[in-house]
Amino acid sequence: MSIPFSGEPFSPSRNQPSRAAHDVSSERQPAGDQRQRSPGTPTGLRGSRGSAGDHFDADGFFGRQKTPTELLPPPEPLLENLTRCVMEVLRGARDIDQLGRWISEDVYKHLLKRQLISARARQIKGTPATRPVLVIGRISTSSPADGVIEAVVMVYEKPRARAVAIRLEGVDRRWRATSIGIL
């Protein structure tokens, strides 16, 4: 027994002949449609139960969706804040889990490794974790593809200047950092 879209089980009415008496070969099928349907399946529901030719891609439907640039917010505020947060993570003033929403898994692993190295270095030197005093300088951006931004953010601290290279990709209608490099 098949179930139509209305949720009610399909059953022939009492006045109509049974499906066994109905000639299935007299129903027309499109020329390209070579699938066989079971005698109890209504014509409009072929493939609704997942026949061999049909395939539903759950990852493509429910997984991460790329987003075009015009549907995303301006990247500059995120670039500035993400750069500041990454520098604070490396100094031990911020927990890396706070960045989880804006960075990919690979970036998370890379920053976690750098954070552990920085923490060991501070422990050996005996210096405490402090919040850095940063001045965010020039932000240079380019767009190699739709939904992708590559940027270099200049960061000035007291003793030196650093460049932070960030690649943002539009995923699920928001920017997500897929690569971060600190020079």
Side-chain angles (χ1 to χ4, degrees), residues 34-141:
Q34 300 300 323
R35 292 177 290 177
Q36 296 293 323
R37 67 178 184 87
S38 62
T41 305
T43 307
L45 295 178
R46 276 182 297 173
S48 66
R49 303 203 77 190
S51 64
D54 293 343
H55 176 61
F56 177 72
D57 184 17
D59 289 335
F61 189 75
F62 294 109
R64 300 202 185 282
Q65 303 288 321
K66 292 189 179 219
T67 306
T69 305
E70 65 266 2
L71 297 177
L72 295 165
E76 288 79 11
L78 176 63
L79 289 168
E80 183 176 336
N81 291 328
L82 191 58
T83 300
R84 187 177 309 277
C85 290
V86 166
M87 298 302 286
E88 290 174 355
V89 163
L90 295 181
R91 288 284 188 91
R94 182 179 295 271
D95 187 23
I96 192 170
D97 292 331
Q98 294 177 1
L99 302 180
R101 178 184 174 134
W102 294 283
I103 60 177
S104 68
E105 187 176 342
D106 292 337
V107 172
Y108 182 88
K109 289 176 183 177
H110 176 72
L111 286 177
L112 184 61
K113 187 189 313 182
R114 295 267 319 245
Q115 181 188 30
L116 293 174
I117 291 170
S118 297
R120 286 184 194 143
R122 278 193 310 275
Q123 186 179 23
I124 291 170
K125 291 179 185 178
T127 58
T130 58
R131 185 169 306 280
V133 178
L134 304 172
V135 176
I136 303 295
R138 184 172 168 219
I139 299 175
S140 301
T141 62

